[in-house]
Amino acid sequence: MICILCGSSRKNSNTSRVGKAISRLLQSTGYPAENIYMPDFSEYNIPFSNGGKLTQENLTGFQSDVYKAMSQSKIIFVLSPEYNWFPTAEIINLINQFGTRQFADCWQNKVFATVGISSGRGGRIPAIQLSSVLNKLIGFMNCHSIVSAKLFESQFTPAVLDENGNSLNNEEYDKGLQDFVSYTLNLSEKFN
């Protein structure tokens, strides 16, 4: 199983375009669509810490989808748009709320790969920051997972992908995304 976390709660976001493109590439390599989980972040309702902690017994539909996707997957792609050089509050809050011992199976025996998304130039900083946070969490929880050294910056996203994640025929972008997905799959084969 593979999980794609598209960390923007906007409907039809650039982040979901990239998530759909990754899903399309995975399917082209033989992964069945039903084995690719992409929770719908437009239904995001994970509370901030001052709104209470998550418990496995009381998850909402969206929270349950995230938990199932993460806990059952061997590869987790973590995508975030770049907002003022940071990942989104949604993806950081998800990591904070699910980054506890009761959700340890979301972090154990996984390969994580990070993507930063921009409508112009950008994307590098959230991908790097997410890599760092994920490494720290995995180490702190004493889990055996890895964060891929190869990250992807999706620049000028609306000019290279349509709303369904289909390529608009930018060869350089397409090759970069394909290389990123292939690298992640190869890394997972070696790790698992």
Side-chain angles (χ1 to χ4, degrees), residues 7 9 12 27 51 56 90 93 111 115 135 139 149 152-154 179 186:
S9 57
N12 303 316
Q27 290 174 56
Q56 286 190 18
E90 291 93 339
N93 189 52
V111 170
V115 180
N135 268 311
F152 186 72
E153 303 166 39
S154 181
D179 289 348
N186 289 337

Side-chain angles (χ1 to χ4, degrees), residues 86-127:
F86 285 101
T88 60
E90 291 93 339
I91 204 72
I92 295 300
N93 189 52
L94 181 151
I95 292 168
N96 285 334
Q97 287 282 26
F98 280 93
T100 64
R101 301 257 182 244
Q102 71 171 319
F103 296 110
D105 52 343
C106 292
W107 310 101
Q108 184 69 271
N109 298 320
K110 316 281 182 205
V111 170
F112 292 89
T114 61
V115 180
I117 292 101
S118 178
S119 58
R121 290 201 191 285
R124 176 176 298 158
I125 300 301

Side-chain angles (χ1 to χ4, degrees), residues 43-97:
E43 298 177 8
Y44 188 94
N45 62 2
I46 298 171
F48 288 99
S49 292
N50 64 356
K53 295 288 183 190
L54 295 183
T55 61
Q56 286 190 18
E57 301 77 34
N58 294 312
L59 296 177
T60 66
F62 172 76
Q63 296 163 9
S64 182
D65 287 347
V66 169
Y67 175 68
K68 177 183 173 186
M70 291 183 71
S71 64
Q72 294 182 8
S73 294
K74 292 292 185 191
I75 300 172
I76 300 177
F77 290 93
V78 184
L79 287 62
S80 177
E82 183 173 310
Y83 289 146
N84 295 322
W85 305 282
F86 285 101
T88 60
E90 291 93 339
I91 204 72
I92 295 300
N93 189 52
L94 181 151
I95 292 168
N96 285 334
Q97 287 282 26

Side-chain angles (χ1 to χ4, degrees), residues 127-191:
I128 291 170
Q129 290 173 333
L130 286 170
S131 294
S132 178
V133 167
L134 292 169
N135 268 311
K136 182 68 176 171
L137 175 66
I138 291 164
F140 177 77
M141 291 183 60
N142 205 31
C143 292
H144 293 96
S145 291
I146 58 173
V147 179
S148 175
K150 191 172 191 75
L151 51 87
F152 186 72
E153 303 166 39
S154 181
Q155 299 185 3
F156 302 102
T157 304
V160 294
L161 296 173
D162 71 14
E163 60 277 355
N164 296 311
N166 296 310
S167 170
L168 296 176
N169 300 316
N170 180 304
E171 289 181 25
E172 186 176 349
Y173 181 92
D174 293 345
K175 182 181 181 326
L177 186 59
Q178 177 65 57
D179 289 348
F180 170 73
V181 170
S182 296
Y183 182 93
T184 305
L185 292 174
N186 289 337
L187 184 61
S188 180
E189 284 180 22
K190 291 176 181 177
F191 179 70

Side-chain angles (χ1 to χ4, degrees), residues 4-19:
I4 303 171
L5 298 175
C6 296
S8 171
S9 57
R10 291 182 182 172
K11 280 200 174 289
N12 303 316
S13 68
N14 289 330
T15 306
S16 67
R17 289 180 188 214
V18 178

